Amino acid sequence: MNFSLEGKTYVVMGVANRRSIAWGIAQALHDAGARLIFTYANERFEKPVRDLAETLDRDDSLFYECDVTDDDAINTTFENIKNDVGVIHGLAHCIAFANRDELKGEFIDTSRDGFLLAHNISAFSLAAVSRAAKDVMTEGGSIVTLTYLGGERVVENYNVMGVAKASLDATMKYGANDLGKYGIRVNAISAGPIRTLSAKGVGDFNSILQEIADRAPLRKPVTQEEVGDVAYFLMSDLSRGMTGEILHVDSGYSILG
Ligand code: NDP
Ligand code: N5H
């Protein structure tokens, strides 16, 4: 069995800064020998992503702007990727968004627009991106998305994002069923809480991390590196018999009642 990802190319969507889970995944894939393609939501994020990628000891990374609310942008991005590299072997979808003011208070107060926005960016995007990526995964491939426990059970304040993650989880499973015949696997990592830009401004994030330190079986929050290593496993042939699965990388927290 070959654990190396040398000669393989992976698209990583959702690096905002060095704290991003997507960056933890990019580093793990890079360390395994992979070539990386980065996408960012708009040109504002191009420089930070390029600056980060420059810290990797290879210079063949590629960069594309891709706002996942725009079908034309998705199609153009993957057409450009096909023209530029020919074939990709996997994709990490590390994208979510909900209006900040709907990530507190009661779920029931979510607006129609806020509900649709969260589902558009955080769940439908996986279907749209998988369909476009399929045409560039001509040797089979592995798609990995990031989900959270709040899609399986009610977690205070996660609100509309929890409902969107439930949709993402189902999107992942239906996608896995459709794409399996092309040798493309689709799985999700359910990460424990990690302090990232998205988590910024979450009022009691310290107490959420403390709860993990106090109660999770491993008694510590997870890191971007730990999530990155499981993404590497899912991208590699070691996981070739798995699709449609949710792997919890959460210090064991989800087994607690
Ligand atoms: P980051 O803030 O680092 O990443 C979120 C990313 O979403 C950003 O890079 C942002 O891109 C991208 N994004 C938002 N809207 C769009 C859009 N319209 N088009 C393209 N990209 C978009 O946070 P995380 O690393 O924490 O989040 C990554 C994933 O991990 C999310 O799905 C999140 O729900 C999930 N997750 C996070 C956990 C945590 O505790 N942090 C726990 C479990 C799951 P840009 O910067 O270019 O705007
Ligand atoms: C129970 C919790 C804490 C409360 C809920 C947090 C939910 C966070 C997820 C979304 C993705 C955060 C979000 O959309 C923030 C935006 O409104 C504002 N931020 C931005 O626009 C920044 C600049 C950009 C980069 O962010 C995005 N997303 O584009 C959950 C936590 C314990 C775990 C957690 C933080 C989960 C998660 O899904 O991220």
Side-chain angles (χ1 to χ4, degrees), residues 97-170:
F97 187 89
N99 290 324
R100 173 73 74 206
D101 61 355
E102 297 187 316
L103 297 168
K104 57 185 185 218
E106 296 198 350
F107 162 72
I108 212 76
D109 293 327
T110 307
S111 66
R112 187 185 301 271
D113 283 349
F115 186 97
L116 293 175
L117 178 69
H119 284 70
N120 187 12
I121 297 181
S122 316
F124 175 74
S125 65
L126 177 67
V129 157
S130 298
R131 190 174 52 208
K134 163 185 170 285
D135 295 334
V136 203
M137 288 190 189
T138 46
E139 299 172 4
S142 173
I143 297 173
V144 176
T145 189
L146 283 164
T147 189
Y148 179 61
L149 187 63
E152 298 174 60
R153 42 172 114 138
V154 174
V155 173
E156 203 182 345
N157 293 328
Y158 204 56
N159 294 357
V160 66
M161 186 51 66
V163 182
K165 289 300 192 193
S167 171
L168 176 73
D169 295 354

Side-chain angles (χ1 to χ4, degrees), residues 13-17 19-23 39-42 44-46 49 66-70 93-97 121-122 125 145-149 158 161 165 168 189-199 205 224:
M13 311 185 79
V15 176
N17 60 28
R19 288 176 183 269
S20 294
I21 296 175
W23 180 240
T39 74
Y40 42 86
N42 66 60
R44 197 155 54 95
F45 296 98
E46 177 171 353
V49 175
C66 185
D67 179 341
V68 297
T69 61
D70 180 347
H93 171 279
C94 317
I95 291 173
F97 187 89
I121 297 181
S122 316
S125 65
T145 189
L146 283 164
T147 189
Y148 179 61
L149 187 63
Y158 204 56
M161 186 51 66
K165 289 300 192 193
L168 176 73
I189 295 173
S190 181
I194 300 178
R195 197 183 294 281
T196 61
L197 190 55
S198 283
F205 204 72
Q224 289 86 339

